[in-house]
């Protein structure tokens, strides 16, 4: 009987892991939509998700998030937290009969640090449509952006108290670069430039950015560079509702991007916040660069666990060697913690470990896991880039699950992600540093790929999450580039 119990236990463990393997494990914010008001206060990050009418989540490491905070109840639409020398202000758009109005609240007494409780001030502006961004200070005063038919520019005529917001200009007009819907606009200074980030075109859209300058009168924007922030498939595998966060007060030494993906997806593993990204400006191309935040290195720890309760009606209490027997009979590579109960249940936890880091100098070995980070770095051949072939990673998510291939295609000269019969493509980055670089994060059915030195990004999400047998990852190098080094880590919370 014990033999049967042990095999049953392992069967249950294998089945449970298989059923959940292909859904994200280290992403957060499922179904929360736009992340309003990201801000860093006293070493704690704060997000206010739209889905819960500006719910409230906090994190000290950008990985583990606590959603056990009271909802502000502000609105189900996107807004911002603005900070001036007069205080901290939550500003959000009115809805229904109040569409076009802007409302403001300030932290209640005792909530200045935790931002848990707010006091409503009321209507502070009109003339915008929705989605006010964080205010920024220019020579002539405080301004904040508002969508939706262009990036509208509101000035605060209350000297930083945010009680009199008036439309004074339009940084990006309707139809700019053929865009007719501007949601969640975010305007900020970064590395000596002004950056505008906005979601576009609703459920079939994407997120666009512009880098440039603001004119001397503070009322107009002069773009110098524009591109998609994410080249994934619009509406399905594309970052949306993006907002950036930084410190509450100067120095503003980092700019972190938040947003969600999979808006048009339907299934058990859809609509998650993407991994936070560190933003910077290229000193040579003036392009906006994206890198995974440094905090993500904490995920390079591959110890996992599952706990189960199994009926053992005929298992004798005197059989204290059950731990050893279970370990010997289980066809998995597991260790057990077993606690016996007098009546009918055996409670145990399975812990299993995969190699936390594999480095392959021949460019072939890679960690096989449904949650993995892979960095591929290949020297650029002296004679120039290959004329054909692919350098990349195959993410084999299961027999019937959606498999993804990401990398560089030298036949078509693009960075790409191929999934579900489609190919999402970005330009080929410049390899001025002498290396072809690909940085990939896999979390079940979500794959996030960084190309070059943060030059381009593609988010891929598969709707098919049923079968996760034979999960593995394989390096592809049909371009024949020699000297590739591959680092891979199994990831877990």
């Amino acid at each position: 009987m014990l033999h049967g119990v042990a095999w049953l236990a392992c069967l249950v463990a294998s089945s449970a892991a298989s059923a959940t393997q292909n859904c994200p494990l280290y992403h957060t914010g499922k179904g929360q939509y736009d992340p309003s008001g990201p801000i860093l206060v006293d070493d704690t990050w704060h997000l206010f998700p739209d889905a819960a009418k500006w719910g409230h989540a906090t994190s000290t490491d950008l990985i583990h998030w606590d959603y056990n905070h009271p909802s502000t109840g502000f609105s189900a639409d996107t807004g911002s937290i603005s900070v001036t020398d007069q205080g901290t202000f939550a500003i959000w758009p009115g809805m229904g009969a109040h569409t076009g109005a802007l409302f403001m609240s300030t932290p209640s007494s005792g909530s200045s640090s935790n931002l848990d409780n707010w006091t409503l001030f009321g209507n502070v502006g009109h003339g915008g449509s929705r989605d006010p961004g964080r205010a920024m200070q220019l020579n002539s005063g405080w301004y904040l952006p508002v969508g939706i038919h262009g990036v509208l520019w509101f000035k605060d005529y209350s000297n930083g108290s945010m009680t009199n917001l008036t439309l004074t200009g339009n940084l990006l007009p309707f139809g700019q670069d053929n865009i007719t819907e501007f949601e969640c606009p975010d305007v900020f200074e970064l590395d000596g430039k002004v950056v505008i980030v906005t979601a576009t075109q609703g459920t079939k859209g994407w997120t666009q950015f512009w880098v440039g300058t603001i004119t001397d009168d503070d009322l107009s924007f002069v773009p110098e560079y524009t591109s998609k922030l994410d080249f994934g498939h619009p509406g399905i595998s594309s970052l949306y509702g993006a907002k950036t966060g930084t410190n509450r007060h100067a120095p503003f030494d980092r700019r972190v991007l938040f947003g969600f993906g999979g808006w048009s997806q339907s299934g058990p593993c859809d609509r998650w916040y993407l991994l936070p990204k560190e933003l910077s400006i290229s000193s040579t191309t003036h392009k906006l660069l994206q890198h995974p935040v440094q905090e993500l290195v904490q995920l390079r720890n591959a110890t996992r666990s599952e706990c189960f309760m199994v009926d053992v009606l005929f298992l004798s209490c005197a059989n204290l060697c059950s731990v050893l027997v279970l370990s010997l009979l289980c066809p998995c590579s597991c260790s057990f913690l077993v606690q016996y109960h007098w009546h009918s249940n055996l409670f145990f936890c399975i812990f299993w470990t995969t190699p936390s880091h594999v480095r392959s100098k021949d460019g072939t070995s890679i960690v096989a896991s449904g949650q993995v980070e892979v960095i591929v770095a290949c020297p650029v051949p002296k004679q120039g880039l290959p004329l054909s072939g692919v350098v990349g990673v195959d993410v084999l998510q299961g027999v019937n699950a959606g498999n993804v291939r990401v990398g560089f295609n030298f036949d078509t000269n693009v960075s790409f992600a191929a999934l579900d019969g489609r190919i999402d493509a970005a330009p080929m980055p410049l390899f001025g540093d002498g290396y072809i670089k690909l940085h990939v994060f896999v979390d079940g059915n979500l794959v996030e790929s960084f190309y070059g030195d943060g030059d381009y990004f593609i988010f891929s999400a598969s709707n098919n999450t049923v079968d996760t047998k034979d999960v593995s990852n394989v390096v592809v190098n049909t371009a024949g580039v020699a000297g590739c080094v591959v680092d891979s880590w199994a990831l877990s919370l």
Side-chain angles (χ1 to χ4, degrees):
M1 182 63 188
L2 183 57
H3 183 282
V5 170
W7 276 91
L8 174 62
C10 288
L11 203 59
V12 171
S14 177
S15 173
S18 176
T20 60
Q21 178 86 40
N22 218 44
C23 281
L25 296 181
Y26 58 81
H27 281 70
T28 187
K30 177 173 171 56
Q32 295 296 319
Y33 293 98
D34 304 354
S36 286
I39 189 170
L40 180 63
V41 179
D42 299 331
D43 299 321
T44 297
W45 284 95
H46 297 256
L47 280 181
F48 299 85
D50 281 9
K53 290 189 175 182
W54 274 54
H56 186 191
T58 57
S59 175
T60 57
D61 62 5
L62 291 173
I63 298 174
H64 302 86
W65 289 87
D66 178 8
Y67 288 83
N68 295 313
H69 294 270
S71 172
T72 64
F74 291 157
S75 169
D77 235 335
T78 311
S80 62
I81 303 293
S82 292
V83 181
T84 74
D85 53 0
Q86 299 299 311
T88 299
F89 309 92
I91 302 175
W92 71 94
M95 300 182 70
H98 300 290
T99 297
L102 299 174
F103 290 87
M104 185 265 282
S105 284
T106 56
S108 302
S109 177
S111 290
S112 178
S113 294
N114 62 36
L115 304 183
D116 269 340
N117 298 293
W118 296 79
T119 299
L120 176 65
F121 179 88
N123 191 337
V124 295
H126 200 280
S129 180
R130 63 171 185 260
D131 305 345
R134 178 170 174 167
M136 65 183 297
Q137 187 174 26
L138 300 176
N139 291 330
S140 60
W142 287 93
Y143 295 81
L144 60 82
V146 180
I148 185 172
H149 300 299
V151 177
L152 307 180
W153 203 220
F154 278 66
K155 183 176 181 179
D156 171 43
Y157 283 93
S158 62
N159 298 317
S161 295
M162 297 290 127
T163 58
N164 185 4
L165 303 176
T166 303
L167 177 62
T168 58
N170 197 350
L171 295 188
L172 292 176
F174 179 87
Q176 175 79 36
D177 295 301
N178 298 315
I179 295 171
T180 57
E181 185 175 355
F182 298 77
E183 293 192 272
C184 313
D186 194 8
V187 181
F188 53 91
E189 293 179 294
L190 182 65
D191 297 339
K193 295 290 182 179
V194 173
V195 179
I196 300 178
V197 174
T198 180
T200 70
Q201 312 306 104
T203 57
K204 297 182 179 180
W206 64 93
T207 297
Q208 188 86 4
F209 75 85
W210 292 261
V211 177
T213 58
I214 288 182
T215 54
D216 291 340
D217 62 4
D218 295 338
L219 299 180
S220 301
F221 176 76
V222 181
E224 299 172 358
Y225 190 106
T226 186
S227 181
K228 289 183 176 181
L229 202 61
D230 178 1
F231 284 81
H233 189 71
I236 299 176
S237 290
S238 186
L239 171 71
Y240 206 82
K243 286 281 190 177
T244 66
T246 188
N247 299 333
R248 186 181 207 168
H249 301 289
F252 306 115
D253 51 3
R254 67 186 306 195
R255 181 67 62 166
V256 177
L257 180 75
F258 302 87
F260 79 96
W263 192 352
S264 298
Q265 282 187 286
S266 59
C269 302
D270 62 344
R271 303 176 188 178
W272 296 79
Y273 284 155
L274 273 62
L275 298 176
K277 303 170 186 65
E278 201 87 45
L279 299 183
S280 61
I281 301 290
S282 169
S283 59
T284 55
T285 65
H286 294 169
K287 186 184 185 303
L288 187 64
L289 304 178
Q290 306 175 67
H291 293 92
V293 294
Q294 183 62 31
E295 286 88 342
L296 294 179
V297 299
Q298 300 170 72
L299 294 172
R300 296 172 182 176
N301 174 359
T303 301
R304 303 157 191 258
S305 64
E306 293 281 351
C307 294
F308 307 95
M309 188 77 73
V310 178
D311 288 335
V312 285
L313 288 171
F314 302 103
L315 183 61
S316 167
C317 178
N319 194 351
L320 299 179
C321 64
S322 58
V323 175
L324 177 60
V325 175
L326 281 170
S327 299
L328 291 174
L329 293 178
C330 182
C332 318
S333 176
C334 311
S335 61
F336 296 87
L337 293 181
V338 179
Q339 186 176 18
Y340 181 73
H341 297 268
W342 277 96
H343 296 290
S344 63
N345 292 319
L346 177 71
F347 176 76
F348 64 92
C349 294
I350 300 177
F351 296 84
W352 69 97
T353 303
T354 54
S356 59
H357 179 216
V358 172
R359 164 164 283 194
S360 170
K361 293 186 178 181
D362 59 3
T364 57
S365 301
I366 190 169
V367 168
S369 172
Q371 282 70 38
V372 66
E373 176 186 358
V374 183
I375 300 176
V376 181
C378 306
V380 175
K382 292 182 179 180
Q383 67 272 24
L385 293 175
L387 298 179
S388 64
V390 169
V391 172
V393 175
D394 275 354
V395 181
L396 307 176
Q397 296 181 315
V399 175
N400 296 318
N403 298 324
V404 184
R405 172 175 283 190
V406 298
F408 305 102
N409 188 326
F410 296 102
D411 292 287
T412 55
N413 201 37
V414 295
S415 310
F416 76 96
L419 168 68
D420 293 342
R422 71 171 189 268
I423 297 178
D424 300 329
M428 185 77 78
L430 300 175
F431 299 113
D433 59 356
Y435 277 87
I436 298 170
K437 293 180 181 177
L438 175 67
H439 195 168
V440 183
F441 287 84
V442 179
D443 191 9
N445 68 313
L446 305 185
V447 180
E448 300 188 39
S449 305
F450 299 80
Y451 303 83
D453 189 20
D455 295 270
Y456 300 103
F457 173 81
I458 298 179
F459 164 56
S460 303
S462 171
N463 270 321
N464 192 336
T465 59
V466 177
D467 192 343
T468 58
K469 293 181 293 185
D470 302 327
V471 173
S472 62
N473 308 284
V474 180
V475 174
V476 179
N477 186 2
T478 61
V481 179
C484 295
V485 175
V486 178
D487 287 283
S488 59
W489 297 263
L491 304 181
S492 69
L493 286 173

